Amino acid sequence: MMLPKPRGPLSAAVFESMRALPTEPVARTHPEADEPEDAAITLWALYELSYRGFDDVDETAEWDPDLLAVRRPLEIDLEGRLRARWESYASPHEVTADFSADFFALVAAHDGRSLARFVQTEADEQQVLDLLRLRSVYHLKESDPTAWVVPRLPTASKAALMELQYDEYGCGDPNRVHSHLFARGLEAIGLRSEYGAYVDDVPLEILEQNNAMSLMGLHRRLRGAALGHLAAFEATSSIPSRQLSQGIARLGLAPDMAAYYDEHVEADAVHEQLAVRAICGELLAVEPELRDDIYFGAFTCLDLEDRLAEQLLARWGAAT
Amino acid sequence: MTDVPTYPHADVVLCPGGPLLLRGKHVIEDSSGELHETTRRVTALCRCDKSAKKPWCDGTHKLLPEKLTPS
């Protein structure tokens, strides 16, 4: 993958610095971001150095201290924004002795608009393709941000996370790796399946979703938030996956793409139980002080999806 | 001496309000006598009887009123 298109003065300058490494050192100062998308694409590209990197950026860029110095204020800004949204959330969650019941109740009480329901019943082919392009930025690296959390966990939580991740990564069969199933679906439906193919097309909301997962995955401090995010993601996946599969079938689109979502109906019915009860539950048993962060991560997952749904449904002219 | 614990770890887990988790490879005979083979390391079996993918769980229990969910 090549670096994405810059979206403002900050990303233009930082991407130029990235391309010039290691021949030229990174500039000590960069212009301010002129809008949120400019900051978000810059942070997204800096994070990508820790995943698969870019063909036009030297591999040493990942740990270049001057690039890390660019990344840090962008992360602080993102985390501050996400935490402010969580703190202003109107209905505080219940805290009882039964964490799993509390967690599922929090997810059930969060009733944002659903893209999956729209796809199931109303979306046209172009809207479904639109959505798949946007989803591809994450689904082609599905589960990767969570993989970073593994070495930071106490034993029982670690074993449970690996039980889930093993399934995400195909149980040893590369053909069943979820990101690979999505790539096959993209090709079957007539879209590009190369890693990062549609980054230039995605709105701020998608960049924020991806940056939030990388932020939580890369910082050990945020391990609770990363797993809360995972649990909320899994707990809102089975039923929407069925709706997406039905929408794809309704439009007569590629069965391989419907199959990706069908796989997630059953897989995520398992994963949500593992994520809430075993992964988060066992983490809390050892590190109870992470409870708030687990909920912060969960809320962030649900809230960022709401923001995406609002944006896309408005763009598509869907009735409120 | 540090205590290195042994963790409780079940192969069959009844999730309150939700499915039955089954670890390992199994063949399940449903109520009509049809056989279903598990395909993943951990499988969720429907307990609310409303799944569209029986015998597997598809998350439908979350849409039911509490009194209809399994204990």
Side-chain angles (χ1 to χ4, degrees):
Chain A
M1 176 182 31
M2 306 294 269
L3 272 169
K5 288 197 185 98
R7 300 195 188 194
L10 174 67
S11 47
V14 172
F15 294 176
E16 204 181 303
S17 287
M18 286 165 78
R19 278 195 201 92
L21 280 171
T23 326
E24 290 171 40
V26 172
R28 283 304 169 113
T29 57
H30 289 94
E32 293 280 309
D34 66 350
E35 53 182 314
E37 273 188 60
D38 186 20
I41 194 69
T42 306
L43 183 56
W44 184 87
L46 290 166
Y47 279 147
E48 184 54 36
L49 297 173
S50 294
Y51 292 96
R52 305 276 287 273
F54 300 102
D55 297 339
D56 50 346
V57 179
D58 187 81
E59 291 193 344
T60 58
E62 180 189 1
W63 291 98
D64 183 276
D66 297 318
L67 281 181
L68 291 174
V70 175
R71 188 178 100 179
R72 192 63 198 126
L74 296 172
E75 291 185 301
I76 291 170
D77 185 53
L78 172 64
E79 187 180 344
R81 202 160 54 248
L82 299 176
R83 285 196 183 276
R85 290 172 188 168
W86 165 229
E87 280 153 20
S88 67
Y89 182 51
S91 48
H93 55 281
E94 194 159 351
V95 176
T96 68
D98 187 346
F99 166 75
S100 301
D102 292 350
F103 191 95
F104 279 118
L106 173 101
V107 172
H110 194 103
D111 57 350
R113 296 187 70 196
S114 166
L115 287 167
R117 203 174 313 131
F118 183 77
V119 168
Q120 179 189 29
T121 56
E122 289 180 58
D124 63 28
E125 179 172 345
Q126 281 314 312
Q127 290 165 338
V128 171
L129 295 181
D130 242 13
L131 179 63
L132 294 171
R133 282 188 202 97
L134 307 192
R135 293 285 195 218
S136 71
V137 175
Y138 174 64
H139 285 328
L140 291 173
K141 58 162 73 104
E142 191 163 324
S143 303
D144 292 348
T146 317
W148 280 318
V149 186
V150 175
R152 300 165 183 166
L153 298 177
T155 304
S157 180
K158 178 187 283 178
L161 178 56
M162 282 311 299
E163 194 171 45
L164 185 154
Q165 290 287 79
Y166 189 64
D167 201 41
E168 293 283 348
Y169 288 130
C171 300
D173 178 354
N175 297 298
R176 290 188 58 187
V177 174
H178 284 181
S179 58
H180 181 73
L181 292 177
F182 194 76
R184 285 175 58 150
L186 286 173
E187 285 296 329
I189 215 162
L191 294 173
R192 292 165 58 196
S193 66
E194 313 95 83
Y195 185 82
Y198 293 108
V199 173
D200 287 333
D201 303 336
V202 305
L204 174 67
E205 289 77 8
I206 290 284
L207 296 174
E208 275 203 338
Q209 280 185 331
N210 281 270
N211 286 343
M213 283 188 271
S214 298
L215 170 77
M216 294 171 181
L218 278 169
H219 289 261
R220 192 184 77 86
R221 173 178 62 84
L222 295 174
R223 61 199 177 282
L227 297 186
H229 185 290
L230 168 73
F233 194 100
E234 299 289 356
T236 50
S237 176
S238 271
I239 293 167
S241 290
R242 184 175 63 197
Q243 293 168 328
L244 290 166
S245 167
Q246 288 171 344
I248 290 165
R250 172 178 62 79
L251 291 163
L253 301 175
D256 271 3
M257 188 46 94
Y260 167 86
Y261 287 107
D262 284 335
E263 159 68 12
H264 283 74
V265 175
E266 285 172 33
D268 294 346
V270 179
H271 293 179
E272 67 178 345
Q273 301 297 335
L274 294 178
V276 177
R277 295 177 197 286
I279 298 171
C280 290
E282 296 292 353
L283 178 65
L284 274 178
V286 181
E287 300 186 272
E289 68 281 6
L290 295 180
R291 180 182 299 268
D292 284 351
D293 266 3
I294 288 176
Y295 281 115
F296 161 58
F299 168 80
T300 296
C301 173
L302 302 173
D303 180 59
L304 290 175
E305 180 59 21
D306 284 353
R307 287 166 191 271
L308 175 70
E310 291 292 339
Q311 204 271 359
L312 267 189
L313 292 171
R315 192 208 292 177
W316 291 340
T320 52
Chain B
M1 288 280 285
T2 305
D3 180 36
V4 180
T6 299
Y7 296 93
H9 188 64
D11 294 325
V12 180
V13 180
L14 296 170
C15 301
L20 179 152
L21 294 186
L22 205 49
R23 290 193 164 91
K25 205 167 146 65
H26 299 275
V27 179
I28 289 114
E29 184 179 322
D30 68 21
S31 51
S32 60
E34 201 182 327
L35 300 182
H36 305 266
E37 213 168 316
T38 58
T39 58
R40 56 187 78 247
R41 289 285 292 261
V42 191
T43 307
L45 289 183
C46 173
R47 288 206 300 146
C48 74
D49 205 35
K50 298 290 187 287
S51 170
K53 293 205 151 201
K54 278 198 290 185
W56 320 126
C57 169
D58 68 352
T60 299
H61 59 271
K62 290 188 287 185
L63 303 177
L64 302 176
E66 202 177 332
K67 63 177 195 289
L68 294 183
T69 61
S71 57

